[in-house]
Amino acid sequence: MRFRWLIPTVYIFFLMLPIYWLLNMSFKTTNEILGGFTLWPNNFTLENYITIFTDPTWYNGYINSIIYVVMNTVISVSVALPAAYAFSRYRFLGDKHLFFWLLTNRMAPPAVFALPFFQLYSAVGLFDTHIAVALAHCLFNIPLAVWILEGFMSGVPKELDETAYVDGYSFWRFFFKIFIPTITAGIGVACFFCFMFSWVELLLAKTLTSVAAKPIAATMTRTASTSGYELGLLAAAGALTILPGAVVIWFVRNYIAKGFALGRV
Amino acid sequence: MANIRLVDLRHSYAAAPRDDGDYALKRMTIDWADGGAYALLGPSGCGKTTLLNIISGLVTPSEGKVLFDERDVTALSPEQRNIAQVFQFPVIYDTMTVYDNLAFPLRNRGVAEGAIDTRVREIAAMLDLDAMLPKRASGLPADGKQKISLGRGLVRSDVNVIMFDEPLTVIDPHLKWVLRSKLKELHQQVGATMIYVTHDQTEALTFADQVVVMHDGAVVQIGTPIDLFERPQHTFVGHFIGSPGMNLLPCTIENGMAHFDGIAIETRARPKVPAGASKFEIGVRPEFVRFADEGIPVRIAKVSDAGRFHIVESRHGDTAINLLVAEGTALPADTAHIRLDPAHTQVYADGWAVT
Amino acid sequence: MSRKTHNQRAWFFVLPVVALVAFNAIVPLMTVVNFSVQETFGDNMFFWEGVTWFQQTLASERFHASLLRQLLFTGIILAIEIPLGVAIALAMPRRGPWVSVCLVLMALPLLIPWNVVGAIWNIFALPEIGFLGNLLNGMGFNYNYTQQPLAAWFTVVLMDVWHWTSLVVLLAYAGLIAIPDAYYQAAKIDGARFWAVFRYIELPKMKRVLTIAVLLRFMDSFMIYTEPFVLTGGGPGNATTFLSIDLVKIALGQFDLGPAAAMSLIYFLIILLLSWIFYTLMMRNEEQ
């Protein structure tokens, strides 16, 4: 198959095209965009980006998003670690059912939870806070983190634990000094996925916030509907949301395929 | 069946090899006789798998030619060379039955179903797999799966050479013996050229008529197991084969004879000293060292029990000399003299035998 | 590895996880169940309705229409994304410098916030000033996704393929590179051609990853909300109103708590049921 390389190339071209278009738009003025069809900016302008970097309503959106995503990743992975250890090493009453129940939460449609979450978090006074979104995303991120970590932990032989006890380590010392370093790849994969699913989710993030913790996604959708299509600005905002993702992928590029393969697959 | 010749073969995995160290396989020319049972023996990393893959066509050599029955096959792919290879772990098609696994190579070559059926059953009988034919291949234990791998190679009647790359690695120890005997039996039945790669000397010495010993990418000696044992051509062969390995005593050559610490040692023949050689050693296997009333004075350092005999480690100065004594023989207490059997004592210059 | 020890102490380890997930899952679900069997006219006045809302939802034409649209959508994208993803994974280089580049570029759409995905395609497919819109109209098609149902479906499907196929590619690729070389070498020696290698070696060894890919794509496409909402708003009319979009309209838009709650439960149950069916079907052969 001599032209095999053509297939991934065409596919990647297909993927990059709309992104290029987005970048294209972000460097044009709204007038130029609405004025006609051009493949690249005739009047290259940075004013859209400047607006975003200088207007608090815009840049706060990014900051808010990053805050709750990081919060969620930290919480999810931290609580998932001991739980995954328990599933991997111990047999206890109801363990299989518990594991299965956790996985079903991944199948929960956010739409089903939108209204209930709104009421729940308002009731506990957490409406419009970062922690609310971070906690809400735990619903599907924690099961995912437990699932991934358990897979990695099962690959570590029990002999390691036993040797440590024989050497006199207390459980927690063993867990932090010996065990966790052996599964750093797994932690990396889990963090990656938690970050990913929290960063991209809109419905719950929008429902649980209004002003103080408003994520960038909400700012964008509001702009689209109220100020009547400031396309250039929207495009620039969108382009900037791709950046964190691109950076994260670059850092984990070596683990992507390996992590899938090693983890639960 | 074919006679295989490797002419001026050299291989490097580096793109632009500069010196000898970059070559995984040093220059070699070897003849493998049609129908022979060969073992390719050497430690890990010595290049035996590379050599095997060059013969099978999975690797193309950087230099040199591979000839099957005088035909140059260097550029041909594995399936064009008509070879069979059994790998370290069983390679089977999980979704197929044992029957379909064995039939697969024949079906790919468009052989008629009738002929396939006869042949598959014949091979299955040879390998004691007939009862398993309708079963799913994935359900068999490791030794069964290796037999299937082997069967897929045997099922093609025109196969030129069958190669084994450490095939017993995943087999349980008590089954290894069974499979080894089976392979030997098969060789006699089928008569194909077989090349068996291993780092285990027992496997090599029991399977092969001729053993090719490799060390560091070079072929060090080719010979029958007896040759290798009695006349090792290289210190590596002496050391690698036999348990314990050959004793090596540093020596000097004076008046055409080897001298160890001033003592003249009688050797198999007069040593032919090559020009420029710097390191000389006397090599003698522990089996051919005896206690005597006079000879080399030694101190008894350690005695180990090895079942039907004892391994005595004696020392002359800094040099350790092992000897084997039969169980029940009286051992000297502290000091003694030992004598080396001249017929089995050789001199090595820079590792190579010169007697 | 089944060398697990019995230890009820382990419950302490899972307690934080259980607490957080239960808080987010059980409490809201209880609320939903609560609403699904009651009627409210505001001011915290509730009247028992029993199974009325469930009956109403199951009989409602609007629900049937949404469900049908959802099933059609999920069916179409599974039929496209799975084979396409596998094909691309097969065509990718297994070694070498290009692997990282390919994987990074392919993973990019996966990390774009879903509303931005919708926005990107919104801009991309605009009939006059968008690249795709301009292209299609220029080629003679009469294309306007804001007004034509067929165009809207085409765009939504294309957007989802663009968005998620890479997930299938990455999973399939991970499965492929895990296959030891010896299998390919043996196949070469056995004279097997490309199709035989795919059918007898690659496909069986990719079974587990493909199951995960199908399950994930099924579940996520069945729950899809943001992307089509941002792109078409569910329109034109309700041509692209899938289950989630409809549910949110009823729940947050109309605040019809009872019907919304009933629909939520039915929705969740459908996903669980279909996922379980998929999973069992795909795992059945493996257990032989």
Side-chain angles (χ1 to χ4, degrees), chain B residues 53 56-58 77-79 83-85 87 89-96 101 104-106 108-109 136 138 152-153 156, chain C residues 179-193 195-197 199-201 203-205 207 284-288:
Chain B
N53 286 338
S56 64
L58 292 168
S77 72
E79 74 171 276
I83 51 108
Q85 190 158 338
F87 297 89
F89 58 88
V91 174
I92 55 163
Y93 302 103
D94 295 302
T95 51
M96 298 192 220
N101 257 277
F104 190 61
L106 295 177
N108 285 328
R109 284 170 170 77
R136 267 191 114 180
S138 52
R152 280 207 319 276
R156 288 147 42 210
Chain C
I179 301 178
D181 274 340
Y183 281 89
Y184 290 104
Q185 291 170 339
K188 241 191 190 164
I189 293 174
D190 285 341
R193 302 270 182 283
W195 256 136
V197 172
R199 195 173 149 202
Y200 296 117
I201 298 179
L203 201 53
K205 298 238 172 273
K207 189 139 180 251
R284 225 178 11 168
N285 315 11
E286 186 154 308
E287 299 309 314
Q288 264 178 13

Side-chain angles (χ1 to χ4, degrees), chain B residues 154-167:
Chain B
L154 290 172
V155 81
R156 288 147 42 210
S157 30
D158 57 346
V159 73
N160 281 323
V161 54
I162 306 179
M163 287 174 285
F164 303 89
D165 191 354
E166 315 213 38

Side-chain angles (χ1 to χ4, degrees), chain B residues 120-132:
Chain B
V120 168
R121 292 192 189 280
E122 201 185 316
I123 299 297
M126 254 197 249
L127 293 166
D128 300 323
L129 282 175
D130 12 23
M132 311 281 200

